[in-house]
């Protein structure tokens, strides 16, 4: 990896980013989360043991890595402490290696409550959120009514802001939702309790990260969700409430753009979506069911079945261009093994017109008919392939076909859930026309 590498999802989340992050973090000094909250579920499998991380960065699973929760993340403190306890119970060390931004916003109990109430009000137009309070928390942040981690250590200020927030929420509970009011005092007590336990982790993480970079350390930025769920660039309003693209990585970690050396886009070999919203290549049939079962496509946070479909490269190209990705990690290729034919969507037909760009208008996406390119499937189990040449010719053609449409080299291919089930294509040219090794050398760093 390059000194600062940002890992972003190119689809609707659940691209197996954590699996890629886990591979890359072998070479990192720090892994920092920059947006989202415990709506994320990041799954890493090590020696048959599955870890699902929600708020704690995946780097915590590597002893040499500092795990940082950046200013752009929204943090449910009780949930975070439970996650830390659970990790410790399973033998993962969490202490000095975890840092939490004092600027990160706090998810409050009323955010979780209003997540549910807003969904109820939306009725059939509901977004199908994860109900973790993430959207209402970001809404309060933007409305300047939020509470931040640092506020926990100024109890008078915290109480004052909490009372004001609860007063406003109670007006909505009474007037709009016909629901019982909340009392601020129990919330205050609960958050003051959490404050004490969280204290050792809290610091100015922007300074910390810049300092690490000044010392020549390697920082991995861990994206959550995916570009098509980005509040600005996704399928609005069926999106999450943060910038789940490279743009959120900068503001949410507090790093200037020129300090980001490489953007790795993660793309699953097929497409999934959890929750409502348009999905042109969805397979609402037996094949979709097969992908769901063999890919274990059930939400890591909510357990909800994910909608499955063919790889949509109109969306993939859009996301790759938007994020300026230097290379792609293609995940879960093994799940496509055993199919006679494998398809990718190269374009849409909308109202009879051929389109190869990703439209903003939901009604266009909802009516888009995918135009597919077919590839021959491969029967073999590919889980033991460690070099590109080990893959069946049909799987190689598929990978090369995806590269050709997206216009970005695929430098990593995942062929199973375990750490070692990965193909690293060191010889592939990066977008700047240098191999990854040359890129590292040019900066005088040790190549991976
Ligand atoms: P929220 O982020 O809980 O507000 O949910 C908004 C939308 O984003 C819903 O469709 C969720 O299913 C989706 N979403 C949120 N987090 C994730 C994730 O980590 N993976 C996939 N989808 C997500």
């Amino acid at each position: 990896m390059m000194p600062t590498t940002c890992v972003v999802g190119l689809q609707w989340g659940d691209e197996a980013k954590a699996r890629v992050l886990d591979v890359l973090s072998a070479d990192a000094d720090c892994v920092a989360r920059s947006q989202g909250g415990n709506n994320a579920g990041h799954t890493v499998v090590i020696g048959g043991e599955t870890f699902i991380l929600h708020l704690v960065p995946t780097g915590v699973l590597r002893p040499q890595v500092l795990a940082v929760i950046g200013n752009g993340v929204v943090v449910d403190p009780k949930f975070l402490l439970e996650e830390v306890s659970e990790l410790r119970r399973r033998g993962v060390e969490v202490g000095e290696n975890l840092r939490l931004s004092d600027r990160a916003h706090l998810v409050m109990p009323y955010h979780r409550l209003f997540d549910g109430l807003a969904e109820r009000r939306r009725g059939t137009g509901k977004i199908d959120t994860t109900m973790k309070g993430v959207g209402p928390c970001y809404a309060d942040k933007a409305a300047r009514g939020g509470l931040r981690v640092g506020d926990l250590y100024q109890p008078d200020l915290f109480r004052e802001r909490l009372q004001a927030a609860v007063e406003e929420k109670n007006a909505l509970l009474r007037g709009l939702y016909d629901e019982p009011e909340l009392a601020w005092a129990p919330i205050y007590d609960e958050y003051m309790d959490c404050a004490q336990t969280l204290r050792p982790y809290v610091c100015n993480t922007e300074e910390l990260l810049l300092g690490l970079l000044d010392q020549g350390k390697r920082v991995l930025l861990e994206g959550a969700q995916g570009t098509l769920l980005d509040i600005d660039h996704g399928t609005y309003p069926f999106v999450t409430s943060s910038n789940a693209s490279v743009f959120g990585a900068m503001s949410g970690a507090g790093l200037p753009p020129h300090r980001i050396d490489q953007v790795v886009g993660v793309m699953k070999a097929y497409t999934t979506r959890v929750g409502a919203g348009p999905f042109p290549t969805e397979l609402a049939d037996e094949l979709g069911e097969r992908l769901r079962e063999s890919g274990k496509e059930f939400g890591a946070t909510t357990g909800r079945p994910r909608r499955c479909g063919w790889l949509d490269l109109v969306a993939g190209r859009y996301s790759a261009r938007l994020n300026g990705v230097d290379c792609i990690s293609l995940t879960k290729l093994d799940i496509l093994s055993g199919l006679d034919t494998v398809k990718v969507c190269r374009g849409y037909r909308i109202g009879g017109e051929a389109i190869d760009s990703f439209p903003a208008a939901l009604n266009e996406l909802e009516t888009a008919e995918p135009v597919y390119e077919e590839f021959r499937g491969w029967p073999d189990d590919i889980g033991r392939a460690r070099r590109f040449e080990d893959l069946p010719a049909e799987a190689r053609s598929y990978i090369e076909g995806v590269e050709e449409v997206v216009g970005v080299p695929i430098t990593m291919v995942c062929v199973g859930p375990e750490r070692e089930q990965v193909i690293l294509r060191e010889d592939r040219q990066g977008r700047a026309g240098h191999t990854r090794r040359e890129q590292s050398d040019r900066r005088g760093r040790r190549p991976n």
Side-chain angles (χ1 to χ4, degrees):
M1 62 170 275
M2 303 280 282
T4 315
T5 297
C6 179
V7 176
V8 289
L10 299 181
Q11 294 157 311
W12 279 288
D14 307 319
E15 299 93 351
K17 290 179 292 298
R19 201 229 168 301
V20 172
L21 281 153
D22 179 56
V23 172
L24 295 176
S25 65
D27 209 24
D29 300 295
C30 172
V31 177
R33 266 280 299 271
S34 48
Q35 44 73 227
N38 57 327
N39 49 353
H42 289 175
T43 307
V44 179
V45 182
I46 307 170
E49 223 191 314
T50 301
F51 294 89
I52 303 178
L53 297 138
H54 299 279
L55 272 172
V56 177
T58 50
V60 80
L61 301 173
R62 300 267 188 192
Q64 89 285 3
V65 169
L66 182 67
V68 173
I69 301 176
N71 58 279
V73 179
V74 290
V75 178
D76 184 329
K78 208 167 159 202
F79 187 98
L80 175 61
L81 290 172
E82 281 165 10
E83 189 171 336
V84 167
S85 301
E86 176 62 13
L87 282 166
R88 284 190 182 137
R89 196 188 61 74
R90 296 186 62 190
V92 179
E93 199 190 310
V94 190
E96 293 281 298
N97 56 340
L98 179 66
R99 289 287 174 271
L100 168 63
S101 168
D102 53 5
R103 287 187 164 85
H105 275 248
L106 291 164
V107 175
M108 307 297 292
Y110 45 79
H111 291 141
R112 288 192 300 272
L113 176 66
F114 276 78
D115 209 349
L117 292 174
E119 282 284 82
R120 192 176 79 191
R121 225 173 113 74
R122 288 182 194 116
T124 53
K126 71 179 176 169
I127 295 163
D128 263 345
T129 75
T130 59
M131 299 283 187
K132 303 296 180 193
V134 167
C137 181
Y138 277 118
D140 271 356
K141 173 180 174 175
R144 277 67 51 91
L147 285 150
R148 302 193 294 176
V149 168
D151 298 340
L152 290 168
Y153 306 100
Q154 297 187 62
D156 291 341
L157 173 108
F158 187 85
R159 189 190 312 107
E160 215 173 281
R161 289 185 66 86
L162 174 65
Q163 282 173 326
V166 169
E167 199 180 306
E168 185 195 278
K169 304 301 169 200
N170 280 342
L172 286 168
L173 286 171
R174 271 194 316 269
L176 188 62
Y177 293 109
D178 197 20
E179 288 286 331
E181 293 189 9
L182 296 169
W184 65 267
I187 305 177
Y188 177 81
D189 292 343
E190 183 190 322
Y191 277 63
M192 286 298 123
D193 274 354
C194 290
Q196 296 320 310
T197 328
L198 283 176
R199 189 78 191 95
Y201 308 119
V202 178
C203 70
N204 177 339
T205 54
E206 301 95 283
E207 261 310 317
L208 173 74
L209 290 171
L210 287 168
L212 288 175
L213 291 179
D214 290 343
Q215 292 166 42
K217 303 282 188 198
R218 289 161 181 246
V219 175
L220 251 185
L221 297 171
E222 171 171 347
Q225 290 84 43
T227 303
L228 304 179
L229 287 173
D230 183 284
I231 181 91
D232 282 280
H233 304 287
T235 49
Y236 191 90
F238 297 100
V239 292
T240 191
S241 302
S242 63
N243 284 116
S245 57
V246 71
F247 309 115
M250 286 174 280
S251 64
L255 291 180
H258 73 274
R259 307 246 26 188
I260 295 183
D261 300 298
Q262 187 186 31
V263 183
V264 176
V266 185
M267 186 186 274
K268 190 152 58 180
Y270 50 97
T271 310
T272 59
R273 173 162 208 170
V274 58
F279 181 176
T281 62
E282 182 169 13
L283 292 166
D285 58 11
E286 264 177 36
L287 195 50
E289 187 60 35
R290 182 194 184 285
L291 289 175
R292 181 158 40 251
E293 289 304 322
S294 50
K296 298 193 177 66
E297 296 295 351
F298 297 90
T301 298
T302 58
R304 292 177 294 174
R306 296 177 186 146
R307 299 155 67 194
C308 298
W310 292 123
L311 182 55
D312 184 342
L313 292 183
V314 180
R317 197 171 41 220
Y318 165 77
S319 296
R321 274 172 63 73
L322 192 67
N323 287 294
V325 304
D326 296 288
C327 55
I328 289 178
S329 297
L330 189 71
T331 59
K332 295 182 109 169
L333 185 67
D334 50 306
I335 303 305
L336 297 182
S337 297
L339 296 171
D340 294 335
T341 306
V342 180
K343 296 185 190 179
V344 299
C345 168
R346 287 192 72 131
Y348 299 145
R349 290 198 76 80
I350 301 174
E353 203 186 326
I355 304 265
D356 64 1
S357 59
F358 193 70
L362 278 199
N363 61 334
E364 291 186 14
L365 269 176
E366 272 154 5
T367 56
E369 290 170 46
V371 178
Y372 287 115
E373 177 176 353
E374 293 195 3
F375 291 83
R376 279 178 49 199
W378 51 95
D380 324 50
D381 170 18
I382 58 172
R384 274 187 288 276
R386 295 294 175 271
R387 295 170 312 147
F388 189 64
E389 303 75 53
D390 297 339
L391 290 170
E394 295 86 350
R396 295 203 302 266
S397 300
Y398 182 75
I399 293 167
E400 285 164 355
V402 174
E403 279 183 325
E404 193 241 314
V405 179
V406 183
V408 177
I410 294 176
T411 52
M412 186 193 290
V413 182
C414 299
V415 292
E418 281 288 346
R419 255 183 187 169
E420 67 275 13
Q421 289 185 295
V422 69
I423 296 171
L424 294 174
R425 300 173 73 198
E426 291 289 347
D427 57 321
R428 290 298 286 140
Q429 299 258 308
R431 289 209 325 162
H434 300 272
T435 63
R436 292 166 62 212
R437 191 172 294 276
E438 283 165 352
Q439 285 174 355
S440 298
D441 287 346
R442 274 195 307 150
R443 289 171 187 263
R445 311 252 173 215
R446 182 172 57 86
N448 59 352

